[in-house]
Amino acid sequence: MTAPALELIDVHAGYGSIEVLHGVNLVVPVGSLVTLLGPNGAGKTTTLAAIDGRVAPTAGCVHIAGRHVNGSPTQRVARAGVCSIPEGRGVFPNLTVDENLLMVTQLHDDLTTSMVRERTFARFPQLARRRHLLAGSLSGGEQQMLAMARAIVTDPALLLVDEPSMGLAPVIVAAIYDVLGQLTAEGMTVLLVEQFAHKALSIADFAAVMSNGRISVFCEPADLEDVAGAYLGVTA
Amino acid sequence: MPLLQTREVTVRFGGVTALQSVSLSADPGTVTGLIGPNGAGKTTLFNVITGLQAPAAGRVLMDGQDVTDLPVHRRARLGMARTFQRLELFGSLTVEENVRTAADIRQLWSRDRADVARMTDAVIARVGLRQYAHSPAHTLPTGLARLTELARALATAPRLLLLDEPGSGLDGAESEEFGRLLGALAAEGTAVLLVEHDMDLVMQACSQIHVLDFGVHLTSGTPDEIRADSRVQRAYLGEADAVPTGARA
Amino acid sequence: MGEFIGLTIAGLSLGAIYAIAASGLVVTYTTSGVFNFAHGAVGMIMAFVYWQLRVQDHWSAPAALGLSLLVIAPAIGLLLEAVLIRRLNVNDTGMTLIVTVAVMVALMGVAFTIWPPTIGRLLPQFFGPNGHVSIDGELISYEELISIGLAVATALGLRLFFHNTRIGVAMRGVVDDRQLMAMNGRSPQFLNALSWMIGAAFGALAGILTASTYTLDVLTLTLLVLNSFAAAMLGRLRNLPLTFLGAIVLGLANAYMTGYLRLTGWLVELRPVLPTLFLFIVLVALPAVRLRAGTAAVSKAIRVPGARASLVNGAVLVAVAAIAAPFIHGIALGNVNEGAALGIGALSIVLLSGYGGQMSLAQYAFFGLGAWLFGETGHGGNPLGLLAAAGAGAVLGALVALPALRLRRLEFALSTLAFGTLAWYMFLSQPQIIGLGDVNIPRLHLPGLSLQNDRVNLVFLAVVFALLSAGVLAIRRSRYGRILIAARDSEAACATLGLNLRLTKILLFALASAIATFGGAIYGSTQLIVTSNDFQYVSSLFIVLIVYVWGISTPGGALAGGMSLALAPLVEAHVPARFQALTYFFTGLGALTILTHPEGVIPLITERLRLLNPLAAYRSRQTRQVRVANEQLLTTVEVRRATPADA
């Protein structure tokens, strides 16, 4: 059996003296989509940050495809095949769409810019018309599409996506999720953080629910009940 | 008449519209909630109200008077005070000095000759920071730092209090205590505008809630109305039928 | 017509050099967020290196240029970034400025030592003495044309680099979002380092061009940074096309002024201050920056002595002066007096920069004004002359502060240096004011007390310093002092509490400048004879640097700073002439202690001494736990600040 794409073993991490993750255990098998759910402040984004190197874990292990990567700087984790798409602003607002796509090729010398454009515009035709505009002037949905281009083009070993639907209109969210579903169908391994539980669960192989810096539930989506309660405090 | 009104406030950063014609108001004696997902524009609205951000269009009114073109400090002198989502403490001063400095600054512009020392002590006691009074502000954990910012704002005896995520960093009990403090402030006639992610706190403390989503004023209503509003559920959960069924596409 | 073309070419060629220098400055600042004050100094060193290769070692011009521009200069840039800049918090303007000023001073020391200014050096023109064309009777040297050509190439090259290469676009992108760049697999640190390498190479090119077209002189080349800054301010230090425009305007203005205006009297000095004037016009025309939340730098609290402690400290100081005075002889007595007088003036830096967080790089202009005014108004040493000086200083300080609210801290700090330059050329150097000749200043005469004896004067200076520092400390402990600290820590918070920042800053500058001119008056009265060279504008950099090293937030730092400046010549006298300039080098190197001890040497020593007291040591152990937590929390704050705000 090959090593899982991602394995977190008792990961502790935080900012300064404030620990946010109190021992996270999580396995993402190769070729599966795991969605990480939970209320604001549960530690979802910090978990992603601990994986992609924005935050160095204070204890525990982060294994990517069996390799120990704790404390490696972000760019090195990226070179190891992890594509991390951060929350909200996954684009460089003062670069044009074309220039943003050029950034995607930063460590992929085999990719030509025309290939990147071709594949991106095939998936998101509306970006083609905006090629020469600053990314910051695009709508939120177009920005998210542009951010997703890196995942589409670079064929990463592991894709981390943080709240891709945040603040977007439902039709755009649907488009983004189509892409995510398709990438998974093509065999990509994905860890998807969402507040929008419903959408994420519809394409996930597994769901992990976080609360207070730990994974409290890990199961198949069908076995998960009452996620809504965690967000709006309806059950409180 | 509402103490504060924003009329069709629009803010753009480059090509991004951060706020789109947002109108809301805050009345004396009430706690008004402002909620929405991350990036909805809540902090930007606070910056427009206090004068740290100029709107591309729209007006800000205090007591019915247009203050859109007034500088930050002149608005504060009309009785606005705020806390910051990203802390803006006076890091090299102690908690007590932070609060006292605010009271000192108020003495520079207010006709009220309240005793600074007494006011400082009273405010610190009120927010429950007495045992930390002599700690340097930059040593405080987030929850206490946020309370220090609140105390500092209160030391100017504001009529309008803008609180930007004061609850993050507080535990359950502290958060409840904080809710009671907000209620007490409102009871004294202060208008409180509260940006907060802790829904329990928002539902407990606010009489009116406005929902922002991606810069747009989505809806407003009482806590019960907001809880039942499908658009709000959608803003937070992404779908109208919010109960996941687990069906896989 | 011929004259016009000649002047235009000359102006364009000068503007071209400014443009090349300024674009290096802009590239470095935009990507790394640190303004490189040593930019000109790097160019200066490289001009000397080029001279060494070309003239001493007889290299061919292309080989010497290649090695200088493509290898040595980038290596210097890389070294600076890797050793120093990487460790700076870019939000701490004072710190970034001081560290790069220290680098500048150290590089000047290196240059003076390796290439002593006692020997004249000439760089051969690239095409020899006959390398020129004639247009309409005007001789236009190839040198000038080369500069223009290189500037055009620079403009086109940078445009191509930043818009059409992967790495160039990445350097623009990293300004938007460092973490996202890392997620794309490109190290932001690498891009920072690259920006310093590119900046150094352009600095070097500008330095070599200046040296071969005009002069190979340490100070001229080092201060090229000021002209570049003036040009770059048109684009607010970030916009390359506007920077080029600014540079061209500056160059042309310079040439036409030289050619067409027959300047006489005090206006002869107009040419050297042209960049300064240009800068002022730009500053007035630029839109004011908006107050922003989330840019505050967290500074460490420094123990402030109480009223009693500060008076006791003062009494001890006076006692030491009284006991030591009889044992100080000869030249040393004069130097110690001078140091004490400078220390009094330097208290203004404690108030302004230590408490208020504002950097002023024009203190010597105020010292000079004070000395001159005391000479003019304090006839027979009349103490009223001191008051006149302080009063005039307050008014001038308030005026200088006016643009402070419109500008970022860095912009303002650099503008004060421009003001200092202007004041020196247009005012202090004028023969009607002080000029280059000796001017006699009376010794202060107090009723019933003669200060003619230098030893008595020294004790008197100690008394003045003790009283004034007690005053400065009293300000710090007062309501106004707390407000100053608060405004330093967070301007946004102060404004939202109702503080009028403009008034606060004007008051701060008025007070600090009053102290500075008062100190200048005391300095004049102590020195008895001054020339304008005593108040050279570059000295303002040195005094701020040295006070920063000793402790910017404590009066002791001011005294130690003044003494260091005044006593350095005594030490130098014992050093072989060949190595005297090494004091620059070691000053610069020593100044880098602030990387590890930003609060300064004196607070460090007093804290160590305090811990010798068992009770204090016990208390300190008790609070150590808390302090460790503090340090960690500081990082938390930084991390929070580094993450983008809720839009």
Side-chain angles (χ1 to χ4, degrees), chain C residues 410-430:
Chain C
L410 172 72
E411 295 167 352
F412 180 73
L414 295 168
S415 315
T416 58
L417 183 58
F419 164 78
T421 318
L422 196 65
W424 191 74
Y425 277 110
M426 302 299 280
F427 185 75
L428 295 174
S429 290
Q430 301 294 336

Side-chain angles (χ1 to χ4, degrees), chain B residues 3-4 26-32 79 158-162 185-186 189-193:
Chain B
L3 180 61
L4 169 84
D27 294 306
T30 63
V31 181
T32 306
R159 294 186 298 141
L160 171 67
L161 188 58
L162 304 150
L185 286 168
T190 312
V192 180
L193 198 53

Side-chain angles (χ1 to χ4, degrees), chain B residues 39 44 77 86 88 92 104 139, chain C residues 294 482 489-490 498 630 641 647:
Chain B
T44 306
R77 294 175 182 192
R86 290 203 283 170
E88 288 282 335
S92 41
D104 281 335
T139 67
Chain C
R482 275 198 310 276
D489 286 356
S490 171
N630 297 353
R641 284 177 198 279

Side-chain angles (χ1 to χ4, degrees), chain B residues 90 93 101 105, chain C residues 481-491 494:
Chain B
F90 306 140
L93 299 178
T101 305
I105 292 175
Chain C
R482 275 198 310 276
I483 292 177
L484 275 184
I485 300 285
R488 182 191 69 187
D489 286 356
S490 171
E491 293 192 346
C494 279

